Amino acid sequence: MTKILSVAFVSFFIFHSLKAQEVPDVKLETLDGANFQTQKFNESGNKLIVLSFWATWCVPCINELSTINDNLESWHKQSAFDFYAISEDDSRTTKRVQPLINGKGWNMEVLLDKNQDLKRAFNIASIPYTIVIKNGKIIFRHLGYVPGDENQLYKIIQDNQ
C-alpha cells in the first residue's frame, strides 16, 4: 500500500510539475480596457516573453520594475524579448496603476489581472514574481526581489536567445 501511495504521489507531482510549465489561456485587460488573451504567449514562437507580477502596494515590486525599466531599453537593443508587467491590483486598487506608471515614467506593457486568474493559474503565492517563457513553456521562475536580481533575469534572457 505504501508503494502504491508513493507511486501515486510521484505521478501526481510529475503531472502537476509538467502542467505548471504550460502557459494557461487567461483573459487579462490592458490599461485602456481592451481584452488580452495570454494564449498570445504560446504563439510567440522562439521569442522570449518575460512576465513580472506586481501590485501598487508592493514596495519590492515597484523597486524591481523601476530597476528593470531603467535597463529595458538597453536590454532590448541586445536581445529580442517582450516584457509584460502584470498588475495584481484588485478592483479597489486598480485605479492606482496608471498614476503610478506615469509617476515612475515606466515605459513597459502593463496588463491587469484584476481577479488574479493568471496568478492562480501559475500557482503564484506571493509577489514580486517573474516568469520567463519560450515556445509556450516556462523556462525560469523567480520569487521576490533584491537589488541585483535583474542581472540574473537579463542573463536568462541572453542565454535563451
Side-chain angles (χ1 to χ4, degrees):
M1 180 68 166
T2 304
K3 262 188 169 178
I4 293 172
L5 288 176
S6 295
V7 170
F9 176 78
V10 170
S11 299
F12 176 81
F13 179 79
I14 290 172
F15 172 77
H16 283 288
S17 295
L18 292 173
K19 186 176 181 185
Q21 297 302 305
E22 299 172 0
V23 179
D25 187 20
V26 174
K27 184 174 79 172
L28 302 178
E29 192 175 303
T30 65
L31 288 176
D32 61 6
N35 288 334
F36 182 98
Q37 290 295 141
T38 59
Q39 181 63 32
K40 177 181 177 179
F41 302 147
N42 292 324
E43 299 163 355
S44 64
N46 233 9
K47 191 172 192 179
L48 291 177
I49 306 291
V50 179
L51 308 178
S52 180
F53 292 81
W54 70 288
T56 57
W57 46 263
C58 173
V59 174
C61 301
I62 294 168
N63 293 339
E64 176 181 45
L65 288 176
S66 291
T67 303
I68 288 172
N69 187 70
D70 291 346
N71 292 291
L72 209 50
E73 187 177 331
S74 65
W75 289 1
H76 275 127
K77 287 179 182 176
Q78 298 184 19
S79 303
F81 67 98
D82 290 335
F83 184 89
Y84 296 89
I86 313 290
S87 170
E88 293 305 317
D89 286 276
D90 61 20
S91 58
R92 293 171 300 149
T93 59
T94 298
K95 62 186 175 287
R96 299 180 195 158
V97 173
Q98 188 70 60
L100 180 79
I101 292 165
N102 294 344
K104 295 288 184 182
W106 292 347
N107 188 22
M108 59 184 65
E109 182 80 26
V110 177
L111 300 171
L112 305 174
D113 187 18
K114 292 180 186 178
N115 296 322
Q116 299 185 348
D117 294 332
L118 186 59
K119 182 181 170 192
R120 276 194 305 279
F122 277 130
N123 200 25
I124 296 171
S126 63
I127 54 176
Y129 199 93
T130 305
I131 294 175
V132 179
I133 301 164
K134 184 175 185 178
N135 295 321
K137 301 290 182 194
I138 297 169
I139 61 168
F140 175 77
R141 290 177 177 254
H142 182 76
L143 171 63
Y145 175 73
V146 294
D149 283 350
E150 67 279 357
N151 298 326
Q152 179 187 17
L153 173 61
Y154 187 55
K155 181 164 179 13
I156 295 296
I157 292 168
Q158 288 179 312
D159 290 349
N160 287 283
Q161 289 296 302

